[in-house]
Amino acid sequence: MFNDVARLLACPHCGRGLQPAGRTLRCPANHSFDLARQGYVSLLGGRGAPRPGDTAEMVAARAGFLASGHYAPIAEALADVTAATHTGGPVLDVGAGTGHYLGRVLDALPGEIGVALDVSKYASRRAAKAHPRAAAVLADAWRTLPVRDAAFATALNVFAPRNAVETHRVLRPGGHLVVVTPNSGHLAELVSELDLLTVDERKQQRLREQLTDHFEPVRSRRCEFAMRLTAEEVAAVVGMGPNAWHSTESLSARIAALPDSFPITGSVTVSVQRRR
């Protein structure tokens, strides 16, 4: 896949284009980046250490939970909305995690190629195998993206950090950013039962304010669904998100004490933003 996507990528040190040479990507300034044996390429650049990415445990929890199919309604809504607005061209998933959602979108867009970008090497290892038409790149979403200007037709952002300036730069004129954000009712039963982090009720308003200088809203779709999770699945959904950074033995014990089939609400909004 890197022979196909190299034309979309840029050197994180000098910003110039990359060309494939065997299992290496190289720029005209002779900066080179080897393809890891797990199938991804690291294009981390800039000064200082990148922000912390998801740990191996968090990524494993996410992979297991997504494989269970409980979040299938989110993937289906994302794929449907993206296919309805996509104008043809490559797809970039910023903060792609395991590449699960990018894979579903590419299934809905026959022939298109995708790039899964994430700062976690553990996530990138899995994303490299997520779809035959996707490549995985290790990079920090908060820095200059190692991507050429106007290289992508669509960018995805699913429960991930949003760098509006950089996303605007790498999208073509008229390109779309498709964002999945949790609503205040998402996992509400778990938030109440386990005292988890809450979702800001102004989430959608804050999203519009964050993007308004670079994107204009096109459409949105609310996706709500019911789940019944085992204690093990609850532990996975807690362990794969921001609550994992605040996990304690007490929280683990409270999860283990939950009923075998605990009712939980999923609630997200899929919104489409057009590049200004």
Side-chain angles (χ1 to χ4, degrees), residues 66 71-86 91-96 99-109 154-159 176-181 219-223 225 268-273:
L66 292 176
Y71 272 11
I74 299 177
E76 292 168 4
L78 173 65
D80 289 347
V81 169
T82 302
T85 56
H86 185 70
V91 179
L92 175 66
D93 191 349
V94 182
H100 174 81
Y101 293 106
L102 176 61
R104 291 298 302 270
V105 167
L106 292 178
D107 283 342
L109 300 175
T154 295
L156 308 177
N157 184 273
V158 185
F159 304 129
H176 294 96
L177 167 62
V178 187
V179 183
V180 177
T181 49
R219 59 181 294 192
S220 66
R221 174 173 164 183
R222 192 177 181 93
C223 174
F225 52 99
V268 304
T269 295
V270 183
S271 61
V272 181
Q273 317 282 331

Side-chain angles (χ1 to χ4, degrees), residues 125-274:
R125 290 172 181 174
R126 292 180 183 267
K129 302 175 179 63
H131 197 278
R133 286 184 275 115
V137 173
L138 187 67
D140 190 343
W142 288 119
R143 297 183 176 179
T144 301
L145 301 181
V147 172
R148 300 194 193 192
D149 294 352
F152 289 87
T154 295
L156 308 177
N157 184 273
V158 185
F159 304 129
R162 287 175 294 278
N163 187 333
V165 173
E166 277 297 287
T167 305
H168 180 272
R169 178 184 66 82
V170 304
L171 279 175
R172 298 173 180 174
H176 294 96
L177 167 62
V178 187
V179 183
V180 177
T181 49
N183 298 322
S184 58
H186 186 58
L187 307 182
E189 296 84 356
L190 286 183
V191 171
S192 175
E193 185 74 19
L194 302 175
D195 295 325
L196 302 180
L197 299 173
T198 60
V199 177
D200 186 352
E201 293 184 357
R202 298 177 61 252
K203 188 83 172 179
Q204 296 306 315
Q205 180 181 340
R206 288 175 51 236
L207 175 66
R208 290 191 294 271
E209 292 170 352
Q210 182 186 38
L211 299 178
T212 189
D213 289 343
H214 303 283
F215 295 90
E216 58 180 343
V218 175
R219 59 181 294 192
S220 66
R221 174 173 164 183
R222 192 177 181 93
C223 174
E224 293 193 339
F225 52 99
M227 301 175 283
R228 299 195 73 90
L229 305 185
T230 64
E232 183 178 359
E233 289 169 333
V234 170
V237 79
V238 172
M240 73 187 202
N243 288 286
W245 299 106
H246 307 280
S247 182
T248 63
E249 291 185 9
S250 173
L251 177 59
S252 298
R254 293 171 70 182
I255 292 174
L258 292 175
D260 289 338
S261 181
F262 191 74
I264 300 171
T265 301
S267 179
V268 304
T269 295
V270 183
S271 61
V272 181
Q273 317 282 331
R274 181 182 295 114

